[in-house]
Amino acid sequence: MALSSGADRGSHSMDKSITLPPDEIFRNLENAKRFAIDIGGSLTKLAYYSTVQHKVAKVRSFDHSAKETEGDPLYEISVQEEITARLHFIKFENAYIETCLDFIKDHLVNTETKVIKATGGGAHKFKDLIEKKLKLKVDKEDEMTCLIKGCNFVLKNIPHEAFVYAKHADSEFRFQNTHPDIFPYLLINIGSGVSIVKVEAEDKFERIGGSSIGGGTFWGLGALLTKTKRFDELLQLASKGQHTNVDMLVKDIYGGAYGSLGLTGDLIASSFGKSATTDKEFSKEDMAKSLLHMISNDIGQLACLYAKLHNLTRVYFGGFFIRGHPVTMHTITYSINFFTKGEVQALFLRHEGYLGAIGAFLKGAEEDNPNQYSWGENYAGSSGLMSVSPELNPVQRARSGTFPFDMLEMDRLERQLVNLPLLQDPTSYIPDTVDLTEDVLAREYWLYCFEEALDGVVKRAIASQKDQPKAVERAEKFRQKYRHKLQTLRHQPFAYGSLTVRSLLDTREHCLNEFNFPDPYSKIKQKENDMALKYYLKVVKSVEELSWEQRQFTLVKGLLAGNVFDWGAKAVSDVLESDPEFGFEQAKLQLQERPWLVDAYNQWIERLKGPPHKCALFFVDNSGIDIILGVFPFIRELLIRGTEVVLASNSGPALNDVTNSELQILTERIAAMDPVIHTALKEDRLALVQNGSSSPCLDLSRLDKVLATVVRERGTDLVIIEGMGRAIHTNYYAMLSCESLKLAVIKNSWLAERLGGKIFSVVFKYEVPSNIREIKS
């Protein structure tokens, strides 16, 4: 749709016929229910809530009371429509506000709201225009309250929201793990002036200080000194300047360092000091850089003093002065580091530009209590963090079209997510084993790997819906969307926080869901589950005939052989595609012989000779042979020993991983064949609980609250994590407060070689926390 921009931008004029694709920017606008807007001096941030209708794969057990015939499937799969909630946040320049309001008015169909919450300095200026265009009453909210509410929301719901900026490092953005308890913290909001706010709880905050020397000072003085009126152009000048041409340094006064006071020679002794003693013209770039340093150092020192006064170590910076500009983040970081001697880090936020809009939205949605839910970033609809602002990167702007937009989408999750209570130290827990933003070789390999696998994923998606007329068209849209995401991550690996194998997998799942492919592997899982069930009793009987020592090893080997059946690993999917007869016994032959790559089997056996564990929590992996012939015989032995077992499976589909609804049906069927499983279920010694995830990986800091409660109530003292995604790509270094088993078969040659092994190498990691070891000794 071509629209007139309706804005005269002078020398910065844009094409008046702006392409505004509604499905890419104002997504799902026809189902928007509630609006909020934050209008600053140059940027507008719009927020709205919508209901999203998308397809979900459901499984339902057949009635097996009647006589079954050979080949009858265990359960039926249906694709149903489901409605979920989504938050949309869009950021654009004020010059486009009229165009955007016109577009919203034309596409607003089902909205029930009569009010739009507004905040920011521009809310009053544009009030009449908004009310006229949208026919909604503007209800203004307090700017600082909205800012704090927005900050709390992103810190709680986006794991890699905060980052440290390191200009000269290989990875300029170093993302921080969000502390389980985000309070207290200090927020330094640098707008025209500076506000310093201490935040102690959700609705408890206090402005404890501030300064009139802020972003407006930089802009105003900069305009006077350089005759440059645009804020972003001033920053561009500063990025090219050399402040030492204007500033007087310690060595300019003393000829070197002032050792007795601990002052180095390169330290600024007087901002603009040389302009009073040197009879020459200074460049605009040098003056802009000197001014930036002067204001940043002043703000940095002020922030440090307040942080020390209130004993706070978490200090976040936001406001239009920051706006993701590398040059401002670098100067603030340097200042904080200098004044605190490295004790306090300057923290910035990926979505700091949205805080006011998010807060205004939350104020308007209080009757729905959005804070009772957990929310997750939808990578398919979010544009991600850019390296610099659109004003400073014409290439990036050209790539995204003529309309400079930035978007964030958050999906409401069905389950409330919390930490696993057994994490040794939740504050230091990092789910991912390798950070691809820092490991360049690994990043190149995995991006290549995911791009190479794309054709196979598209093929699988189409095959899962071959009776659907538009499946091919939707699959092609998925391919384009995901390939674009991979290209973005190649140039901007920090776009969605730390880049990891987990985030690449999750982005792919989000994109598949976006184009209504909720479970591309559903039919494969159904077929493999049916097949594996036929061999269950045979496997159990063969194990029962063995001596105790032989039985334990056979059960572990079966668990590892089952884990080979992973459609997410190309080496395995190629075999399964070409040889449908490849089965459990063949998989055992593929396994590395002992000693394994990581081999703690002997320690595990010694532990089994002792008293039984009270309760084992098992994070399961794949459907079919893995869960039925690998996991169930293994947990059956634990149950016989007197250990309760909790099987934690995915809430939603990912690759061929077993979901909780599938596992319920499989367990019911196994219980009908096996008295041990039947009795354990009946006596509630075997429990099936969903983990709250729809990912092939596992983040132990975002688990279903119900699972956390079950773990606590049952006194869980053993955690078993299975599979490459959950035990290698994530949680390999996770420290738990109880005994743990992490086991997987490495089904990727490159990764195996990197770990010092070969494909189908085995990792069997048994860990006991030092406090438990001391008690036992």
Side-chain angles (χ1 to χ4, degrees):
M1 176 174 291
L3 300 167
S4 166
S5 72
D8 178 18
R9 306 197 64 198
S11 61
H12 299 276
S13 63
M14 307 285 283
D15 183 356
K16 296 291 180 184
S17 179
I18 296 167
T19 302
L20 196 62
D23 58 335
E24 288 183 23
I25 296 172
F26 294 104
R27 287 154 45 93
N28 209 42
L29 194 59
E30 67 277 6
N31 293 317
K33 305 294 181 190
R34 186 178 285 115
F35 284 89
I37 197 164
D38 174 17
I39 309 175
S42 58
L43 292 175
T44 294
K45 286 76 69 178
L46 180 73
Y48 62 94
Y49 160 94
S50 77
T51 51
V52 181
Q53 195 166 11
H54 62 97
K55 292 188 178 355
V56 291
K58 297 281 188 182
V59 296
R60 186 172 67 86
S61 180
F62 284 120
D63 179 11
H64 291 283
S65 55
K67 184 171 173 56
E68 294 174 37
T69 59
E70 185 70 25
D72 276 355
L74 177 65
Y75 53 81
E76 66 173 334
I77 306 162
S78 62
V79 176
Q80 300 172 14
E81 296 286 343
E82 195 171 84
I83 293 175
T84 56
R86 179 173 287 173
L87 300 181
H88 306 255
F89 304 99
I90 303 158
K91 183 165 61 178
F92 51 88
E93 293 171 17
N94 288 354
Y96 296 106
I97 191 166
E98 195 163 346
T99 303
C100 292
L101 292 175
D102 282 336
F103 185 82
I104 293 165
K105 178 187 70 177
D106 292 342
H107 289 79
L108 220 51
V109 179
N110 298 321
T111 186
E112 301 158 0
T113 187
K114 302 297 179 192
V115 172
I116 181 168
K117 292 286 183 179
T119 189
H124 175 75
K125 178 181 176 183
F126 291 100
K127 178 177 179 290
D128 293 342
L129 179 67
I130 295 167
E131 291 187 337
K132 177 186 169 188
K133 294 280 185 186
L134 299 185
K135 305 292 189 286
L136 298 175
K137 179 179 178 294
V138 171
D139 188 2
K140 200 168 184 317
E141 290 290 344
D142 176 68
E143 193 170 351
M144 191 56 70
T145 302
C146 291
L147 195 70
I148 300 303
K149 273 191 172 292
C151 193
N152 294 341
F153 182 84
V154 296
L155 286 174
K156 281 192 295 187
N157 288 287
I158 303 180
H160 288 152
E161 176 60 29
F163 63 89
V164 171
Y165 184 74
K167 183 180 179 183
H168 300 297
D170 289 339
S171 174
E172 55 188 316
F173 296 87
R174 291 181 180 166
F175 293 93
Q176 308 295 295
N177 274 356
T178 302
H179 196 288
D181 182 6
I182 65 170
F183 306 109
Y185 65 85
L186 203 62
L187 179 65
I188 316 295
N189 189 53
I190 314 170
S192 299
V194 179
S195 285
I196 299 175
V197 185
K198 180 183 179 182
V199 185
E200 296 181 88
E202 191 64 49
D203 294 304
K204 186 181 179 185
F205 65 89
E206 176 190 4
R207 186 183 187 277
I208 55 174
S211 171
S212 61
I213 300 170
T217 315
F218 174 71
W219 199 347
L221 277 177
L224 291 172
L225 289 167
T226 68
K227 310 302 179 193
T228 301
K229 296 291 184 183
R230 289 174 63 84
F231 183 80
D232 288 324
E233 284 181 13
L234 263 177
L235 283 174
Q236 200 168 17
L237 287 174
S239 68
K240 297 173 183 174
Q242 181 55 260
H243 76 96
T244 54
N245 292 333
V246 182
D247 294 341
M248 188 174 287
L249 308 182
V250 169
K251 66 183 177 185
D252 294 324
I253 302 173
Y254 299 105
Y258 195 150
S260 61
L261 293 181
L263 303 177
T264 64
D266 291 330
L267 204 64
I268 299 172
S270 174
S271 295
F272 287 92
K274 287 179 181 173
S275 60
T277 58
T278 307
D279 188 19
K280 69 167 189 176
E281 290 290 317
F282 296 99
S283 74
K284 291 180 180 182
E285 290 82 358
D286 293 346
M287 288 191 290
K289 188 61 170 280
S290 176
L291 182 62
L292 182 67
H293 274 290
M294 182 179 82
I295 289 167
S296 296
N297 287 339
D298 184 63
I299 294 169
Q301 186 168 32
L302 204 56
C304 292
L305 291 170
Y306 277 105
K308 284 183 177 179
L309 186 63
H310 293 269
N311 198 27
L312 295 171
T313 55
R314 279 174 277 178
V315 182
Y316 299 102
F317 288 83
F320 92 84
F321 182 69
I322 304 293
R323 267 178 57 186
H325 287 292
V327 66
T328 54
M329 291 192 296
H330 175 63
T331 51
I332 289 284
T333 298
Y334 180 86
S335 173
I336 289 286
N337 190 54
F338 175 81
F339 287 116
T340 68
K341 296 181 170 60
E343 289 177 13
V344 175
Q345 288 184 314
L347 296 169
F348 304 96
L349 301 170
R350 277 176 59 210
H351 300 104
E352 68 87 17
Y354 292 113
L355 302 186
I358 292 171
F361 172 82
L362 293 172
K363 284 289 287 181
E366 281 176 343
E367 70 255 33
D368 295 333
N369 193 10
N371 279 321
Q372 73 179 316
Y373 303 102
S374 290
W375 299 78
E377 184 173 3
N378 174 28
Y379 297 141
S382 297
S383 50
L385 179 71
M386 302 306 179
S387 57
V388 290
S389 75
E391 283 295 323
L392 298 185
N393 195 337
V395 176
Q396 194 168 297
R397 170 174 286 195
R399 194 161 61 237
S400 64
T402 55
F403 215 87
F405 267 71
D406 191 43
M407 292 162 285
L408 165 66
E409 286 185 358
M410 302 282 288
D411 285 335
R412 191 175 79 192
L413 307 177
E414 288 180 33
R415 326 289 295 180
Q416 195 170 353
L417 304 182
V418 297
N419 277 304
L420 176 69
L422 298 170
L423 281 173
Q424 204 171 89
D425 179 13
T427 62
S428 62
Y429 169 67
I430 298 172
D432 304 286
T433 305
V434 178
D435 185 345
L436 302 182
T437 46
E438 296 184 2
D439 191 329
V440 179
L441 281 176
R443 178 169 77 234
E444 285 303 313
Y445 171 75
W446 286 111
L447 286 170
Y448 165 79
C449 212
F450 277 88
E451 196 147 1
E452 280 290 291
L454 193 48
D455 286 345
V457 177
V458 169
K459 179 183 167 187
R460 183 64 50 206
I462 295 168
S464 72
Q465 296 183 12
K466 53 188 174 192
D467 54 337
Q468 299 288 322
K470 291 194 175 179
V472 174
E473 182 185 327
R474 284 186 285 112
E476 193 52 44
K477 285 183 178 177
F478 154 74
R479 183 205 303 273
Q480 291 169 9
K481 168 83 93 171
Y482 189 57
R483 180 169 284 151
H484 175 72
K485 293 288 179 189
L486 292 175
Q487 288 167 352
T488 298
L489 290 166
R490 199 177 290 281
H491 298 291
Q492 296 159 311
F494 42 76
Y496 299 103
S498 289
L499 180 64
T500 61
V501 173
R502 174 169 63 106
S503 67
L504 289 169
L505 285 163
D506 290 350
T507 303
R508 189 168 71 185
E509 293 297 324
H510 291 186
C511 291
L512 281 167
N513 279 312
E514 197 66 27
F515 295 103
N516 281 324
F517 293 106
D519 194 357
Y521 291 85
S522 56
K523 290 175 182 171
I524 286 177
K525 289 189 289 181
Q526 182 187 40
K527 180 182 173 186
E528 291 185 348
N529 286 333
D530 284 337
M531 185 63 69
L533 277 169
K534 293 172 183 173
Y535 295 96
Y536 175 74
L537 285 178
K538 182 183 175 184
V539 169
V540 167
K541 282 174 184 171
S542 68
V543 168
E544 283 180 331
E545 293 168 0
L546 301 171
S547 67
W548 186 85
E549 289 265 5
Q550 288 177 314
R551 189 162 70 247
Q552 304 316 311
F553 184 68
T554 301
L555 288 167
V556 165
K557 198 169 180 183
L559 197 53
L560 293 165
N563 193 244
V564 168
F565 292 84
D566 181 355
W567 281 84
K570 190 173 186 300
V572 176
S573 62
D574 286 349
V575 171
L576 296 175
E577 290 269 19
S578 60
D579 182 9
E581 299 304 312
F582 184 84
F584 193 42
E585 295 306 317
Q586 289 95 322
K588 287 182 184 177
L589 297 174
Q590 295 288 336
L591 296 177
Q592 174 192 16
E593 292 291 330
R594 289 193 68 200
W596 295 323
L597 183 63
V598 177
D599 195 335
Y601 179 75
N602 292 344
Q603 293 93 312
W604 169 245
I605 284 300
E606 285 305 309
R607 171 62 186 87
L608 288 184
K609 291 174 182 174
H613 295 89
K614 187 174 189 307
C615 178
L617 168 63
F618 198 131
F619 288 100
V620 298
D621 193 6
N622 307 303
S623 286
I625 288 175
D626 189 358
I627 184 70
I628 296 166
L629 304 186
V631 173
F632 265 98
F634 185 87
I635 62 140
R636 184 180 189 274
E637 183 76 6
L638 291 178
L639 289 165
I640 291 169
R641 276 173 57 80
T643 300
E644 292 182 15
V645 175
V646 176
L647 292 180
S649 54
N650 271 10
S651 301
L655 296 171
N656 66 316
D657 293 359
V658 66
T659 63
N660 185 256
S661 54
E662 291 162 349
L663 186 56
Q664 298 278 354
I665 295 168
L666 294 176
T667 307
E668 177 190 310
R669 193 63 191 281
I670 290 169
M673 295 189 275
D674 186 346
V676 173
I677 302 299
H678 180 269
T679 304
L681 276 176
K682 191 177 177 183
E683 295 175 353
D684 195 32
R685 291 189 301 109
L686 172 60
L688 313 178
V689 187
Q690 53 187 304
N691 62 19
S693 171
S694 299
S695 169
C697 296
L698 181 65
D699 181 351
L700 296 175
S701 68
R702 285 172 72 79
L703 292 178
D704 189 339
K705 192 175 182 180
V706 174
L707 176 59
T709 303
V710 169
V711 165
R712 200 179 286 111
E713 288 176 350
R714 291 188 180 238
T716 302
D717 54 355
L718 171 65
V719 173
I720 305 169
I721 306 176
E722 178 207 14
M724 268 178 62
R726 293 171 180 79
I728 304 293
H729 293 312
T730 52
N731 299 305
Y732 190 73
Y733 298 117
M735 303 293 287
L736 301 177
S737 59
C738 69
E739 294 172 56
S740 64
L741 264 184
K742 298 169 190 172
L743 50 107
V745 178
I746 312 293
K747 293 150 290 198
N748 176 283
S749 297
W750 181 89
L751 180 60
E753 285 172 21
R754 210 173 209 229
L755 294 172
K758 295 178 181 177
I759 193 159
F760 299 119
S761 287
V762 169
V763 169
F764 189 91
K765 201 176 185 188
Y766 171 57
E767 294 174 310
V768 183
S770 55
N771 60 319
I772 294 177
R773 280 201 302 271
E774 286 161 11
I775 291 168
K776 286 180 179 174
S777 60

